[in-house]
Amino acid sequence: MLTKEELDFVKYWEANREKQSTLKYQLMFGLPLGVLVSLPILINFLMARFWYRRADAVGTSQFNPLVLVFAVVIIAVFVGIFYKKFQWERNEQRYLELTRRKN
């Protein structure tokens, strides 16, 4: 026998599982977390001139900032999609366990 919370989850997941499995949805709702994870990399590079002068000199002379921005975007997209896909898989596993227990 399922509890009210579990029944509510089963109803919710039956209604939303297809929508949340799309790549567009996962990117749209996972991207803020991805940006939150990858932003410290960009901030660390920009703040290097305050904590270590030599690192700033080497970083600005031998490094293309466009590569850093591209890497931050790639990291943000990957983390965002990976997180939402993991969350979808976890919810799907819970849904399948509850439907088996219900039957």
Side-chain angles (χ1 to χ4, degrees), residues 2-82:
L2 299 178
T3 64
K4 182 179 178 342
E5 178 185 318
E6 292 170 341
L7 287 172
D8 290 343
F9 174 76
V10 169
K11 287 179 189 175
Y12 165 77
W13 196 244
E14 284 174 350
N16 292 311
R17 69 192 283 200
E18 293 301 319
K19 179 179 75 170
Q20 290 188 15
S21 69
T22 62
L23 185 64
K24 179 182 172 185
Y25 179 89
Q26 292 171 350
L27 180 62
M28 186 169 60
F29 287 99
L31 197 57
L33 179 71
V35 169
L36 191 66
V37 168
S38 64
L39 202 57
I41 297 169
L42 187 61
I43 291 172
N44 186 30
F45 181 76
L46 295 175
M47 298 300 285
R49 68 182 57 146
F50 297 114
W51 61 272
Y52 190 48
R53 301 259 183 220
R54 182 157 167 75
D56 181 47
V58 171
T60 55
S61 68
Q62 298 178 356
F63 187 70
N64 186 358
L66 192 59
V67 173
L68 178 68
V69 171
F70 184 68
V72 166
V73 168
I74 294 294
I75 291 169
V77 168
F78 174 77
V79 168
I81 291 174
F82 184 81

